[in-house]
């Protein structure tokens, strides 16, 4: 993949923000991308969260006389080669909390019901899928969650013995919103994503990710992979944390696109996000997440995450859910899809670019060591002009953490 393929198709009009790991200073830099040039914004803003909370992030980026530090092509190459000794792209968020919405599409709701009915056993998936499909049909696709029609659908399904907690968040008044990943734990373009060894039924989830400031304003958007362990969540919804939050289980990128000109929240309502999985075994799977089919408007999801009941002083990134739920068999007929080591996962959309990652066993991925304390030490070092390197962390730890 080239740098031109990584950025949006209309990248010349896009205002793109990211983060770069800089081995020379031993830490992350806030950057903007203009054509093939990457400019360092860190002298103006220390974190992406700080930039998003600026009175006018767009104006600051467009009017700052930033220094060109890198070429986009060299960052793309180093990121895809996972060469941590060279400058490379990181997840484009830092201090923002990572929140995620589940069951925001009818198709994914039905697959969650199937997981539950299977008890997480993928061997029963094909049989249960047929039973559930017959009971639910396609009549739910036009039902507005929380409406009288949705309440009636819930009543009828319950009478058929098809009640599920996933139907409550899929059809009820309140969406599912959960914390996907700790601050600074997300991985970026080119990095490995982790599949724990205790999971044997799992999949990628290609999603639109909204970037929201501390006041609840949506400043821009990017792409994300909400890696999901279907067998774990299928055993019990109370295992959601185990299913969703593991080392390198959240990929975000490649860059944040700020709202500017005709790129707005409104324009994202019809964005098409595509997915390709390519395995070392020659297997290939394609999928699509059509935002036009989402069952709840973005504003409702944002209100469910932030309001009088919950604030985010450093802003948050919000995964908006996925239409994609893989049923295509990979090996044995009827057992559906699950990841294998070395799968290349490509998530793309015309106006947000392309996020590429490779799956690996979670336990084999470099440990996450660069956290909030390390970031604060690095920023303090920049402010005082002390030598490169972060206090309390060895150079090897910094490189490993900066995946």
């Amino acid at each position: 993949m080239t740098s031109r393929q990584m950025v949006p198709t209309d990248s010349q009009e896009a205002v793109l923000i990211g983060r770069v790991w800089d081995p020379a200073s031993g830490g992350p830099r806030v950057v903007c991308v203009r054509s093939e040039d990457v400019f360092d914004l860190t002298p103006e803003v220390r974190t992406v969260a700080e930039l998003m909370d600026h009175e006018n992030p767009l104006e600051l980026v467009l009017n700052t006389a930033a220094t060109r530090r890198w070429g986009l092509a060299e960052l793309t190459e180093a990121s895809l080669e996972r060469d941590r000794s060279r400058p490379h792209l990181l997840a484009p968020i830092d201090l923002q909390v990572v929140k995620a919405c589940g069951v925001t599409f009818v198709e994914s709701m039905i697959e969650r019901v199937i997981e539950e009915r299977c008890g997480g056993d993928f061997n029963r998936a094909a049989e249960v899928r047929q039973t559930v499909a017959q009971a639910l049909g396609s009549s739910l696709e036009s039902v507005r969650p929380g409406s009288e029609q949705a309440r009636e659908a819930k009543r009828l399904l319950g009478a058929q013995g098809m009640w599920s907690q996933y139907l409550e968040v899929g059809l009820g008044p309140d969406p599912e919103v959960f914390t996907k990943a700790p601050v600074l734990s997300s991985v970026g373009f080119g990095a490995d994503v982790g599949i724990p060894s205790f999971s044997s039924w799992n999949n990628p989830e290609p999603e639109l990710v909204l970037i929201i400031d501390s006041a609840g304003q949506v400043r821009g958007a990017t792409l994300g992979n909400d890696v999901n362990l279907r067998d774990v969540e299928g055993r019990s919804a109370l295992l959601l944390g185990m299913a969703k939050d593991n080392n390198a289980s959240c990929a975000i990128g490649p860059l944040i696109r700020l709202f500017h000109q005709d790129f707005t929240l409104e324009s994202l309502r019809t964005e098409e996000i595509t997915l390709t999985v390519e395995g070392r075994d020659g297997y290939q799977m394609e999928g699509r997440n059509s935002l036009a089919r989402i069952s709840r408007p973005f504003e409702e999801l944002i209100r469910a995450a932030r309001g009088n009941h919950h604030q985010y002083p450093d802003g948050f990134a919000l995964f908006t859910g996925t239409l994609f739920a893989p049923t295509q068999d990979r090996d044995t007929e009827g057992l559906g899809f699950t990841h294998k080591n070395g799968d290349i996962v490509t998530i793309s959309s015309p106006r947000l670019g392309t996020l590429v990652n490779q799956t690996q066993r979670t336990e084999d991925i470099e440990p996450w060591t660069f956290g909030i304390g390390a970031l604060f030490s690095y920023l303090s070092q920049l402010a005082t002009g002390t030598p490169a390197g972060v206090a309390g962390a060895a150079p090897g730890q910094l490189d490993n953490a900066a995946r």
Side-chain angles (χ1 to χ4, degrees), residues 97 99 177 179 214 302-313 316:
V97 174
K99 306 293 287 189
V177 182
T179 300
S214 64
I302 295 167
R303 286 194 301 271
R306 185 202 176 278
N308 291 334
H309 64 293
H310 205 317
Q311 297 78 46
Y312 299 90
F316 62 106

Side-chain angles (χ1 to χ4, degrees), residues 265-273 290-293 298:
L265 188 63
E266 193 63 32
S267 70
L268 287 172
R269 298 187 199 278
T270 55
E271 190 77 358
E272 292 281 324
I273 299 174
S290 302
L291 271 301
R293 296 173 66 181
F298 298 140

Side-chain angles (χ1 to χ4, degrees), residues 56-133:
N56 192 329
L58 184 67
E59 184 177 282
L60 186 151
V61 173
L62 293 177
N63 295 334
T64 295
T67 303
R68 183 197 183 278
R69 288 286 306 278
W70 304 279
L72 187 59
E74 65 183 273
L75 293 177
T76 302
E77 179 183 272
S79 301
L80 290 172
E81 292 179 359
R82 290 175 289 285
D83 184 349
R84 300 316 181 222
S85 67
R86 298 159 57 191
H88 56 274
L89 292 166
L90 301 172
I93 62 169
D94 39 46
L95 294 179
Q96 294 93 338
V97 174
V98 183
K99 306 293 287 189
C101 300
V103 202
T104 54
F105 293 83
V106 170
E107 287 88 339
S108 64
M109 177 184 72
I110 291 173
E111 284 300 310
R112 298 293 86 77
V113 174
I114 291 166
E115 288 168 12
E116 184 181 52
R117 294 274 161 172
C118 289
D121 181 1
F122 63 83
N123 292 288
R124 298 180 54 216
E127 173 193 348
V128 174
R129 183 172 291 109
Q130 184 175 3
T131 302
V132 171

Side-chain angles (χ1 to χ4, degrees), residues 25 28-29 42-43 46 376-387:
S25 64
R29 313 293 290 191
T42 307
R46 297 164 299 173
F376 283 4
S377 294
Y378 173 70
L379 296 177
S380 176
Q381 160 226 303
L382 294 182
T384 59
T386 54

Side-chain angles (χ1 to χ4, degrees), residues 271-286:
E271 190 77 358
E272 292 281 324
I273 299 174
T274 58
L275 166 78
T276 303
V277 176
E278 298 170 284
R280 292 173 177 170
D281 54 0
Y283 175 86
Q284 183 163 322
M285 177 179 68
E286 296 181 352

Side-chain angles (χ1 to χ4, degrees), residues 134-157:
Q134 288 174 350
L136 299 183
S138 59
S139 59
L140 297 179
E141 292 184 8
S142 61
V143 174
R144 175 73 171 87
S147 66
E148 182 58 41
Q149 186 183 10
R151 286 191 288 274
E152 179 62 15
K154 285 164 57 181
R155 187 189 67 78
L156 292 174
L157 290 167

